[in-house]
Amino acid sequence: MGGRQAFLNGSFLVEDEAVVSIYDRGLLYGDGLFETLRTYRGKPFRLDAHLERLASSAAFLKIPLPFKKEEIKEAVYELLRRNRLSDAYVRITLTRGPYGPPARCGKSSGRLGLETEQATLFIVSRQFTPYPARLYRFGAKAIISRIRRSPRSVLLQHKTLNYLNNILARTQAQESGADEAIFVNTAGFLTEATVSNLFVVKEGQVFTPPVSAGLLPGITRQAVLEICHRNCIPARENNLRLIALAQAHEAFLTNSLMEIMPLCFIAGKPIGDGRVGDLTRRLRGLYREMVRKELGL
Ligand SMILES: Cc1ncc(COP(=O)(O)O)c(C=O)c1O
């Protein structure tokens, strides 16, 4: 009895009982999407934006969303209530679902057809575990991944269940004693890190690679661009070569869980003076303020 609950296709179940089919295409082919977000005192930050991204990627991949956005939103809040969570990590996963019975879907089984009976949607939540404090105090260290990204791969613009390149790159980072890996695309431009977007600061100006370079349009990335705009901090999307990172004064990474994390070393060399930059620190404060204001905390 008891135990943490998950939402699965309309029901709240104890996590151990929330199981999906071995024929689920999310599992078989990575045929699905996910969202990860953070809640502050029980309130999810920019849940609407996360659901918009999920819905538009689902439409792109022709995965029918089995619930309305409002219903998913309500399910997130209800799950947080049931699990008595305040500062939480929430993950919403959507897959194309399992193949239906062979009589109806037999023709497509094992043939990558799109026919499934019903998409699978589940939500899990747990207490938020902060990233190690040292990463904010001294900044993260990144390597440049050997894996090159194709700017033509439209899938990079969606948060799909295919993270193997990211996992390989993260493994390379760990093996070199770094915290993160940055991807460069086949045209030689910077894209993003394995689970975060990349920003570079040069002479008080903020730059981030454009989505067309082959990266996820992060919700936090968007929030940072808004913050810069509102505070008259020059910021723009720009194709950046590796040298721009090596010669930057500051750099930082963003995602919904880490918020803004300073990046102080690239390929073993310091970025700027190798310490957390002033603008990065300021943006971190402004981001927290934005979260507090938007959530009414
Ligand atoms: C590859 C990748 N890029 C960027 C991000 C940042 O996205 P967001 O700010 O929406 O969390 C993530 C988040 O997990 C990611 O996996």
Side-chain angles (χ1 to χ4, degrees), residues 260-292:
I260 294 177
M261 180 180 287
L263 174 66
C264 292
F265 284 84
I266 183 71
K269 300 212 172 64
I271 296 173
D273 63 6
R275 284 186 297 199
V276 178
D278 290 341
L279 192 49
T280 304
R281 215 184 289 277
R282 180 169 171 224
L283 286 170
R284 226 171 109 61
L286 288 168
Y287 183 84
R288 300 229 101 189
E289 201 178 298
M290 176 187 246
V291 171
R292 273 197 300 275

Side-chain angles (χ1 to χ4, degrees), residues 197-216:
N197 290 116
L198 171 70
F199 285 79
V200 162
V201 178
K202 184 96 194 251
E203 280 149 13
Q205 292 199 59
V206 177
F207 300 97
T208 193
V211 172
S212 58
L215 55 95
L216 186 74

Side-chain angles (χ1 to χ4, degrees), residues 115-268:
E115 302 88 341
T116 54
E117 293 262 285
Q118 149 102 50
T120 302
L121 188 133
F122 58 90
I123 311 173
V124 297
S125 64
R126 58 171 181 266
Q127 179 64 37
F128 173 70
T129 316
Y131 281 79
R134 69 167 176 88
L135 292 172
Y136 295 96
R137 204 171 311 141
F138 304 112
K141 299 184 176 87
I143 58 156
I144 297 296
S145 172
R146 289 191 291 274
I147 299 164
R148 289 288 173 266
R149 280 199 164 172
S150 165
R152 289 179 168 215
S153 171
V154 284
L155 285 183
L156 295 169
Q157 300 176 17
H158 302 278
K159 206 164 155 67
T160 74
L161 294 177
N162 294 278
Y163 261 58
L164 278 176
N165 275 328
N166 307 42
I167 291 167
L168 279 178
R170 179 58 80 91
T171 308
Q172 288 165 9
Q174 276 164 4
E175 284 167 0
S176 344
D179 308 295
E180 250 298 9
I182 308 282
F183 291 110
V184 172
N185 68 23
T186 48
F189 294 113
L190 295 163
T191 66
E192 62 180 348
T194 64
V195 290
S196 54
N197 290 116
L198 171 70
F199 285 79
V200 162
V201 178
K202 184 96 194 251
E203 280 149 13
Q205 292 199 59
V206 177
F207 300 97
T208 193
V211 172
S212 58
L215 55 95
L216 186 74
I219 308 296
T220 322
R221 173 184 181 274
Q222 178 57 31
V224 169
L225 290 172
E226 283 171 34
I227 289 169
C228 289
H229 185 68
R230 284 182 206 165
N231 292 276
C232 300
I233 300 166
R236 63 192 159 97
E237 297 174 71
N238 223 7
N239 267 315
L240 304 164
R241 294 209 176 265
L242 192 47
I243 188 89
L245 182 56
Q247 295 178 346
H249 295 139
E250 305 176 25
F252 58 89
L253 304 171
T254 63
N255 81 21
S256 300
L257 301 175
M258 66 171 58
E259 303 176 334
I260 294 177
M261 180 180 287
L263 174 66
C264 292
F265 284 84
I266 183 71

Side-chain angles (χ1 to χ4, degrees), residues 86-99:
S86 166
D87 293 327
Y89 154 96
V90 175
R91 175 175 161 136
I92 306 167
T93 307
L94 170 73
T95 80
R96 201 179 301 277
Y99 286 121

